[in-house]
Amino acid sequence: MIQIEIFTFNPFQENTYILWDETQECVIIDPGCHVYEERKALTDFISEKKLKPVKLLNTHAHIDHILGNAFIKRNYNISYFLHEKDLPVLNTAPDRAAFWGFPAYEHSSVDEYLEEGKDISFGNSTLQVFFTPGHAPGHVVFYAKDQNFVIGGDVLFKGSVGRTDLPLCSFADLEKSIKTKLYTLPDQTVVYPGHGPSTTIGFEKKNNPFVRL
């Protein structure tokens, strides 16, 4: 069974996720850790739980979700996964880091590309990859079917949706992603977003003011 630990990092209050199972293998999703204290909190948790990081995953490459990528790759010597269509976003990260005041940002190259239909495995567990563009051109989410949860990045929030006023964003694409990929999941599915508290598919289908069925 997959267990989840959530950290909230950096001034954007971004949610970083560690997922692991009974084998102690874990994946790290969207490491937003930037300063020493944030990195220490994450690595201390991994050490205390005796976890073995095996993959670094990004839902997308906006700067607040990738600030810790280079640190994680270097510290644990693991491969970095991103959807190929988000490379244009990743390639602007150094400029975005300078603009938002993260001078210590280190850039990372992608080792393997995420694709819909190509599952991510760790330990005894599997995450399905869904391509969900809109907030970013290569955005993906990770779905654990057996446990009814999705790591959703910045697609769907509690009572809100991801921004589409940034470069390479599209509300039409975001709306389609939510309606065809997320709203088709069981109502009890828990959504763990990139910012803010968790929600459920059923709650958002009934109450989200931005995307209605």
Side-chain angles (χ1 to χ4, degrees), residues 14 19 57-58 65 115 118-120 126 148 163 166 171 177-178 183 192 198 206 208:
E14 181 268 347
L19 275 57
L57 312 175
N58 277 164
H65 292 255
E115 299 176 30
K118 186 176 178 181
D119 294 346
I120 290 292
T126 300
N148 286 317
R163 291 178 61 175
L166 303 170
F171 181 77
S177 293
I178 292 172
Y183 280 1
Y192 293 103
S198 63
K206 291 180 180 178
N208 195 290

Side-chain angles (χ1 to χ4, degrees), residues 67-86:
L67 285 167
N69 277 359
F71 170 75
I72 295 299
K73 281 190 66 175
R74 181 173 61 251
N75 201 61
Y76 296 111
N77 191 29
I78 56 178
S79 294
Y80 166 34
F81 292 70
L82 180 75
H83 196 284
E84 188 172 11
K85 287 185 179 294
D86 232 44

Side-chain angles (χ1 to χ4, degrees), residues 143-165:
Y143 175 51
K145 183 177 180 179
D146 292 343
Q147 291 183 230
N148 286 317
F149 74 80
V150 60
I151 306 297
D154 289 359
V155 176
L156 184 66
F157 302 122
K158 186 172 185 179
S160 189
V161 298
R163 291 178 61 175
T164 55
D165 59 338

Side-chain angles (χ1 to χ4, degrees), residues 89-113:
V89 179
L90 181 67
N91 291 337
T92 66
D95 290 339
R96 293 292 89 198
F99 177 81
W100 289 109
F102 298 110
Y105 169 74
E106 299 177 65
H107 200 58
S108 297
S109 58
V110 179
D111 299 301
E112 298 190 46
Y113 292 123

Side-chain angles (χ1 to χ4, degrees), residues 11 31 37 48 54 57 62 71-72 74-75 102 120 122 129 132 136 154 188 194 196 202-203 206 209 211:
E37 292 80 7
E48 290 165 6
V54 293
L57 312 175
H62 285 154
F71 170 75
I72 295 299
R74 181 173 61 251
N75 201 61
F102 298 110
I120 290 292
F122 62 99
V129 178
T132 53
D154 289 359
Q188 66 268 29
F203 180 87
K206 291 180 180 178
V211 176

